[in-house]
């Protein structure tokens, strides 16, 4: 990269890649604030990563967030599928993870017994 034009092209390419990635992939977000960790978020995060690897699922990003103020509902797990509302699950345990992954992440069906809320994107 030697010119300002090179830098602008790189910026446009990265913005385009980021936009495609954001719109095409499913996100699983785990609440990893101190309240989440105390309630077992690390174990849930490990169960999610193991389930995704075991099922060889692709195009799923797993990330963490801090406390969102619903500590009584921890462990909180959000699932965001492309062009669908963000769904929050509460009081998630590692044993709930296979059902969330199979029902919601793969098939798009909300797991009603763990459902806490929905945010329109």
């Amino acid at each position: 990269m030697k010119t300002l034009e090179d830098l602008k092209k790189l910026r446009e390419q990265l913005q385009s890649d980021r936009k495609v990635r954001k719109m095409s992939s499913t996100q699983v977000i785990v609440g990893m604030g101190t309240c989440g960790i105390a309630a077992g978020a690390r174990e849930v995060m490990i169960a999610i990563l193991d389930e995704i690897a075991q099922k060889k699922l692709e195009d799923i990003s797993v990330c963490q967030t801090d406390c969102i103020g619903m500590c009584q509902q921890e462990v909180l797990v959000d699932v965001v599928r492309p062009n669908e509302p963000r769904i929050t699950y509460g009081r998630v345990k590692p044993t709930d993870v296979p059902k969330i992954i199979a029902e919601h992440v793969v098939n798009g069906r909300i797991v009603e017994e763990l459902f806490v809320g929905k945010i329109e994107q």
Side-chain angles (χ1 to χ4, degrees), residues 17-108:
D17 290 349
R18 184 174 170 214
K19 187 176 180 181
V20 168
R21 183 177 171 196
K22 186 175 181 180
M23 294 181 69
S24 63
S25 67
T26 297
Q27 288 184 307
V28 178
I29 306 162
V30 181
M32 298 284 282
T34 53
C35 51
I37 292 170
R42 285 188 178 131
E43 292 79 8
V44 170
M45 175 69 94
I46 291 167
I48 290 169
L49 294 172
D50 288 348
E51 188 72 13
I52 290 171
Q54 185 181 18
K55 299 222 179 293
K56 298 180 181 172
L57 300 174
E58 296 179 357
D59 202 25
I60 299 171
S61 62
V62 180
C63 57
Q64 63 185 51
T65 189
D66 290 329
C67 178
I68 61 168
M70 297 195 315
C71 304
Q72 74 280 5
Q73 294 289 332
E74 293 288 354
V75 174
L76 291 164
V77 174
D78 289 2
V79 175
V80 185
R81 291 172 40 98
N83 304 314
E84 293 182 11
R86 179 175 178 158
I87 301 299
T88 301
Y89 294 107
R91 299 179 192 259
V92 176
K93 301 197 174 356
T95 54
D96 299 321
V97 168
K99 187 169 190 174
I100 292 172
I101 298 296
E103 292 293 320
H104 193 172
V105 173
V106 173
N107 294 313

